[in-house]
Structures are given as structure tokens and as C-alpha cells.
């Protein structure tokens, strides 16, 4: 059951199917363009959408908004040092700024950054600094049906191949994303982290964690890796980070806050260069783009997220949504990851060719059916024409991600989501593909406008 009582409530918007059809049309079949108060269950992201606890709200009242040396900063720093164990702690307003600061100093033309799989902002920040972002996840991590406990693991052979090919001196750092968001929220094992560290040591390459969902990854290690059953989440997290030289963190996930992030490192010189940039872009080092009260809420959230009762509920809630869908025959990526269900839209809608955006069409169908908003991770987000050949390219998988916000929805809400999706599954053959009417030159999925192909065909027929 939910390991919390509800103290404040927010009314859930209800709309009719007719209204939703009109909303979709007005939004150009792009769920990013739908006002949130027209969404019944919002599973667009688990980022910045958590419900804060009474203790976090109490912490907000203790906000010390001094420009320099806010007491909340010291509390935050002490908390991060205790869990993550790194010497230098630099607050930022969200995760991608931590990435930007780190890569601005370390990455340049001719360098490469390996990762299990780069999240899109991470990849974009490496590439923005003219580096090469390389994914080295194990092959099973890309197979939606491979049922393995740690599908986020780094493939050490691939990693060594990259190091040999690029030359160790051109690899300023190796990243590891825990859990591996772009590969389905799949965890990385402690054994794999240890082995990755050992391999990198042979070449003198630092290891940094993309730590957004570190507590969820720690919980999976406790459940699935022998030797860790009796260990506390805190001690598992500390062991993970002991194998690294630092981390970037979006506290909008496992920090249980609506805004916040940070960067850690053990490298004094690096921390100084980053701090100089921080002052230029984010603010003074004891607030880093955040209010003092936000730092306090983050310090409290980082401790709360380590609670095993909370994590057990969290992981089971996502798992039970996955099980309900699997039982009804809905094709999903298995096993379920920590923060989201990934519906395999290619298998759900085999009659829609990839040029007609099956995953986007499916995401729209979930909204039309029950006001459930997920996010397309497929040809709209990652496809397009190859810059050099001009040929249409598509990503490996067509998926709709249903990300579950932390401490926001109840088990009954998850049942409603499963019922909505099962109803769409029953009528899957009636779903039509889409075509683009407008697209921006970069990151087109955020602002694209589309229309149903059926509409176009009807116009031709008339
Ligand atoms: N790294 C990972 C693995 C992420 O999932 C995200 C954000 C970031 C970095 C960037 O953090 O948003 O605070 O700047 N993921 C969100 C998502 C947006 O929906 O998966 P940010």
C-alpha cells in the first residue's frame, strides 16, 4: 500500500472524449501542446513532478535567502557529502546545467564520452562541446524482450573498444547513467560498476555517474544482487559513488523536488573551473540558481528517498502497472524499469509504418481514450533525415513512455491507466498513422504539429 497519507489534494481534470478529440486537433496531435489542466493522468515525465512531504514543506519555511552562505546550503552540502561522498558539491538549478558545466570544462573537439546510454540532454551537451557521445550498453539492454536483472549494464568489451579506438587521452571521462533512462529505466549492477571502474583505472579515465535515479538503482541492487540483501540503501548508494570521481544530478527525480540539481567532484582544480562558470551562468556557489528554501527541500528529499518502505512501494507501483498491462497482452519493455513503463508501439500497431509515427499515434490514442498523457520515444523524437545522405532514419524502437511521478498517484489511478490502455489495445486496428505539418530544425518533437493520415486521404478522395 501507499506508505503515506494524503494531506493536500488537487482535483483531477475530467474531460469527455469529444473534448479530448478537439483538444488533440488544436494541439496538432502533439501532447506537449496540451494544457496540463486538460490531462487526467499525467505520465509525461517523472521529472520535477513529485509530491513533496510535510517535512519538505516545513523546510521551505526555513529558507535562508542570504546571497552568500545561506544555512540551507550548508545543510544541503552536508547531506550530499554524506550520501555521495564527494569533496566538492556545486548546486545547479537542474541536471542539464550540471552536465553543461562539467562538459564545458572537460569536453572538446576530438574527445569522446562513453556512457551506457546517454540521456538526450547529456548527449546534446557533449555534442554542443564538439565531443562524441558513445553508447556502450550491453546488447540485451536494447532488446525489449530480454528478461535480465541488470539491463542497464555497461558492455566492457564495447567500452574497451571505444577506449582503444579513441585513445585514452582523448576520453576526458566515462559516464554511467543509473538507472538507464533511455534504455527503459533499467538498473546497473554493483558488479558492473566495480568492473567498469577497474577497466577505466587501467587507462586513467575518471568515472562520473549521471545519478538522477540513484536510489531506485540502489533498491534494485538490494533486491537482485546477492551480497546486498542485508545492506541499507544508504550504504549501497555510498558504495556505488565510492567507485566514481563525481556525479551530475537532476534532483527533480530522486531528490523528490520540483526544481534542483547539483554536480560533485573530487577534483579540486576542476571544481574551481566549474565554480567560475557557475558564477557566470547560475549564480554564487552557495545557491547556484536556486532559492535557499529549494536547497532545504532538496536536502530533506535526498534523505527521504533512501527510505526502503518508500522505495519498495515506488518500484512495486511501477511494476504492478507493467504486470496489469502484460496480463492484458499489451506489449511492453520487460522487465519493468524503476520509473516508467515503456509500451512497445511497434508491436502494438504493426499496421502503421514508421514514416507514419506509430508511437506518436499511440500516445495520442491513450490521451483520446482516457486523458492519459505519456511521451513518444520513437521516430518523431529521434527520427528525421540523415544530415549527409538525406535518407530517412529511424531509432531502434518505437515506444511510448509512461513515467510515474513520485508519491502523486495511487494504485487505483494505475488501474485506471491500465484499463485505458487495454481499451486502446482492443481497438488497435482502428488507429491511424500521422503526418507532420510543421517541424522545427532541432528537437522537433517538442513543437511539431501533425495530422491524422486518414484526414489527408479523405481530402484526396473528395
Ligand atoms: N540525465 C537523465 C538520465 C535524465 O533522465 C534527465 C532528465 C537529465 C539527465 C536532465 O535533467 O531535466 O533536470 O535537466 N530527464 C527528464 C525525463 C527530463 O523526462 O526523463 P534535467
Amino acid at each position: 500500500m501507499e506508505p503515506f497519507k494524503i494531506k493536500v489534494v488537487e482535483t483531477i481534470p475530467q474531460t469527455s472524449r469529444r473534448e479530448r478529440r478537439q483538444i488533440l486537433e488544436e494541439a496538432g496531435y502533439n501532447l506537449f501542446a496540451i494544457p496540463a489542466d486538460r490531462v487526467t493522468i499525467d505520465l509525461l515525465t517523472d521529472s520535477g513532478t513529485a509530491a513533496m512531504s510535510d517535512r519538505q514543506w516545513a523546510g521551505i519555511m526555513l529558507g535562508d535567502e542570504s546571497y552568500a552562505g545561506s544555512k540551507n546550503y550548508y545543510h544541503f552540502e552536508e547531506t550530499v557529502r554524506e550520501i555521495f561522498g564527494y569533496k566538492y558539491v556545486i548546486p545547479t538549478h537542474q541536471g542539464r546545467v550540471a552536465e553543461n558545466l562539467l562538459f564545458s570544462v572537460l569536453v572538446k573537439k576530438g574527445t569522446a564520452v562513453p556512457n551506457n546510454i546517454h540521456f538526450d540532454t547529456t548527449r546534446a551537451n557533449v555534442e554542443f562541446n564538439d565531443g562524441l557521445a558513445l553508447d556502450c550498453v550491453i546488447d540485451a539492454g536494447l532488446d525489449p524482450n530480454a528478461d535480465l536483472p541488470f539491463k542497464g549494464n555497461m558492455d566492457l568489451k564495447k567500452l574497451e573498444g571505444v577506449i582503444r579506438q579513441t585513445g585514452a587521452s582523448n576520453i576526458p571521462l566515462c559516464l554511467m547513467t543509473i538507472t538507464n533512462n533511455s534504455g527503459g529505466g533499467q538498473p546497473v549492477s554493483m558488479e558492473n560498476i566495480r568492473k567498469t571502474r577497474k577497466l577505466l583505472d587501467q587507462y586513467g579515465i575518471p568515472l562520473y555517474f549521471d545519478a538522477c535515479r540513484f536510489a531506485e538503482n540502489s533498491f534494485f541492487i538490494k533486491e537482485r544482487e546477492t551480497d546486498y540483501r542485508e545492506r541499507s540503501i544508504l550504504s549501497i548508494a555510498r558504495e556505488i559513488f565510492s567507485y566514481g570521481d563525481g556525479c551530475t544530478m537532476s534532483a527533480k527525480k530522486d531528490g523528490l523536488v520540483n526544481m534542483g540539481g547539483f554536480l560533485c567532484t573530487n577534483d579540486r582544480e576542476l571544481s574551481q573551473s566549474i565554480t567560475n562558470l557557475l558564477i557566470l551562468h547560475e549564480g554564487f556557489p552557495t545557491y547556484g540558481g536556486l532559492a535557499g528554501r529549494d536547497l532545504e527541500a532538496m536536502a530533506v528529499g535526498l534523505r527521504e528517498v533512501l527510505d526502503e518502505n518508500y522505495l519498495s512501494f515506488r518500484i512495486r507501483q511501477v511494476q504492478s502497472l507493467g504486470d496489469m498491462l502484460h496480463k492484458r497482452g499489451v506489449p511492453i519493455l520487460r522487465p519493468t524499469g524503476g520509473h516508467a513503463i515503456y509500451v512497445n508501439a511497434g508491436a502494438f500497431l504493426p499496421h502503421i509504418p514508421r514514416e507514419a509515427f506509430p508511437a506518436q499515434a499511440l500516445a495520442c490514442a491513450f490521451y483520446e481514450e482516457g486523458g492519459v498523457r505519456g511521451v513518444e520515444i520513437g521516430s518523431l523524437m529521434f527520427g528525421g533525415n540523415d544530415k549527409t545522405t538525406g535518407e530517412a532514419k529511424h531509432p531502434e524502437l518505437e515506444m511510448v513512455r509512461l513515467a510515474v511521478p513520485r508519491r502523486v498517484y495511487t494504485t487505483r489511478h494505475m488501474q485506471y491507466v491500465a484499463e485505458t490502455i487495454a481499451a486502446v489495445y482492443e481497438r488497435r486496428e482502428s488507429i491511424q498513422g500521422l503526418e507532420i505539418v510543421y517541424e522545427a530544425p532541432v528537437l522537433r518533437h517538442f513543437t511539431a504539429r501533425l495530422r491524422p493520415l486518414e484526414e489527408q486521404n479523405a481530402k484526396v478522395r473528395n
Side-chain angles (χ1 to χ4, degrees):
M1 65 179 182
E2 286 73 2
F4 47 79
K5 291 192 285 184
I6 296 164
K7 196 169 334 210
V8 176
V9 296
E10 180 184 331
T11 304
I12 281 183
Q14 309 270 3
T15 48
S16 69
R17 187 183 291 265
R18 227 176 101 209
E19 281 171 312
R20 291 193 293 272
R21 282 200 179 126
Q22 195 185 341
I23 291 164
L24 273 172
E25 201 185 320
E26 283 165 11
Y29 297 85
N30 186 335
L31 302 178
F32 284 102
I34 297 182
D37 68 0
R38 308 279 75 201
V39 176
T40 301
I41 304 282
D42 204 348
L43 307 182
L44 187 68
T45 181
D46 65 319
S47 180
T49 51
M52 290 210 294
S53 67
D54 48 359
R55 289 179 191 209
Q56 285 177 294
W57 282 109
I60 291 235
M61 292 307 290
L62 301 176
D64 166 5
E65 305 307 337
S66 308
Y67 189 95
S70 154
K71 71 175 182 211
N72 310 121
Y73 170 77
Y74 297 114
H75 181 206
F76 157 75
E77 184 192 42
E78 177 200 311
T79 307
V80 174
R81 283 227 183 101
E82 191 192 329
I83 301 169
F84 295 77
Y86 299 120
K87 283 197 195 122
Y88 305 101
V89 181
I90 299 161
T92 61
H93 84 270
Q94 63 180 89
R96 67 196 70 183
V97 185
E99 294 164 3
N100 181 316
L101 294 170
L102 183 64
F103 303 156
S104 295
V105 177
L106 292 180
V107 177
K108 45 183 160 304
K109 201 172 169 59
T111 63
V113 179
N115 198 337
N116 39 3
I117 303 186
H118 287 82
F119 178 66
D120 28 349
T121 60
T122 324
R123 170 176 295 280
N125 271 302
V126 170
E127 291 174 353
F128 186 74
N129 286 290
D130 296 324
L132 209 57
L134 301 170
D135 295 339
C136 298
V137 74
I138 53 170
D139 286 342
L142 300 169
D143 174 354
N145 301 313
D147 203 337
L148 288 178
F150 292 104
K151 278 171 82 172
N153 279 355
M154 188 81 85
D155 186 320
L156 297 165
K157 284 218 175 80
K158 285 186 198 170
L159 178 59
E160 190 155 28
V162 163
I163 298 172
R164 291 236 168 101
Q165 211 173 2
T166 318
S169 60
N170 293 322
I171 302 189
L173 77 162
C174 173
L175 282 169
M176 202 173 223
T177 306
I178 54 173
T179 58
N180 185 25
N181 184 10
S182 304
Q186 301 292 324
V188 180
S189 73
M190 193 73 89
E191 188 191 5
N192 188 253
I193 293 171
R194 219 179 288 127
K195 285 185 173 160
T196 302
R197 174 73 213 206
K198 214 166 152 205
L199 175 66
L200 294 172
D201 274 345
Q202 288 171 25
Y203 295 93
I205 299 170
L207 173 63
Y208 279 73
F209 291 97
D210 180 341
C212 305
R213 300 175 179 87
F214 77 97
E216 290 168 9
N217 200 105
S218 300
F219 185 81
F220 280 120
I221 287 176
K222 183 174 170 94
E223 283 225 308
R224 297 182 182 175
E225 210 167 342
T226 42
D227 299 347
Y228 289 90
R229 301 248 155 85
E230 305 303 324
R231 293 269 296 272
S232 71
I233 299 295
L234 174 62
S235 85
I236 293 173
R238 289 173 71 144
E239 183 177 337
I240 293 176
F241 295 119
S242 75
Y243 298 119
D245 297 278
C247 69
T248 58
M249 173 78 186
S250 167
K252 297 170 76 173
K253 286 83 169 172
D254 274 350
L256 297 175
V257 288
N258 306 118
M259 194 51 75
F262 55 88
L263 171 64
C264 290
T265 180
N266 280 335
D267 183 331
R268 190 179 140 84
E269 241 176 79
L270 179 63
S271 85
Q272 279 170 345
S273 307
I274 289 172
T275 301
N276 295 339
L277 282 176
L278 182 84
I279 295 172
L280 194 63
H281 296 293
E282 286 274 274
F284 191 73
T286 60
Y287 72 83
L290 292 164
R293 55 178 172 269
D294 294 336
L295 290 165
E296 190 62 31
M298 190 155 56
V300 177
L302 284 168
R303 282 192 202 279
E304 285 183 356
V305 81
L306 302 172
D307 173 14
E308 230 171 272
N309 288 332
Y310 157 74
L311 280 171
S312 166
F313 167 73
R314 163 78 178 152
I315 301 296
R316 303 270 179 277
Q317 186 183 41
V318 175
Q319 223 166 47
S320 79
L321 175 58
D323 290 346
M324 285 186 276
L325 293 171
H326 184 64
K327 262 192 215 129
R328 290 162 154 99
V330 177
I332 59 167
L333 196 143
R334 305 255 296 163
T336 47
H339 66 295
I341 299 298
Y342 292 70
V343 180
N344 184 347
F348 199 118
L349 301 173
H351 61 283
I352 301 185
R354 307 196 69 182
E355 297 70 43
F357 307 107
Q360 183 67 12
L362 189 59
C364 289
F366 293 163
Y367 178 75
E368 185 191 323
E369 186 66 37
V372 173
R373 172 158 75 170
V375 68
E376 189 256 18
I377 304 184
S379 290
L380 185 62
M381 187 180 270
F382 293 122
N385 292 335
D386 191 281
K387 272 185 203 139
T388 39
T389 63
E391 266 174 52
K393 60 180 173 82
H394 301 289
E396 203 117 348
L397 294 171
E398 290 287 335
M399 295 188 291
V400 178
R401 185 185 76 169
L402 305 168
V404 183
R406 295 171 179 79
R407 306 192 292 207
V408 171
Y409 293 118
T410 65
T411 305
R412 180 69 192 101
H413 289 130
M414 292 299 110
Q415 285 168 5
Y416 172 82
V417 172
E419 285 156 17
T420 301
I421 288 168
V424 175
Y425 193 59
E426 291 298 307
R427 63 169 181 89
R428 59 192 179 275
E429 276 152 29
S430 70
I431 297 166
Q432 302 283 331
L434 298 165
E435 66 176 342
I436 292 184
V437 204
Y438 163 77
E439 64 181 303
V442 284
L443 297 172
R444 64 177 180 177
H445 55 286
F446 287 121
T447 52
R449 293 188 67 80
L450 301 100
R451 70 177 161 208
L453 273 170
E454 183 195 27
E455 210 174 87
Q456 179 63 1
N457 294 342
K459 278 193 187 130
V460 172
R461 276 199 300 274
N462 290 339

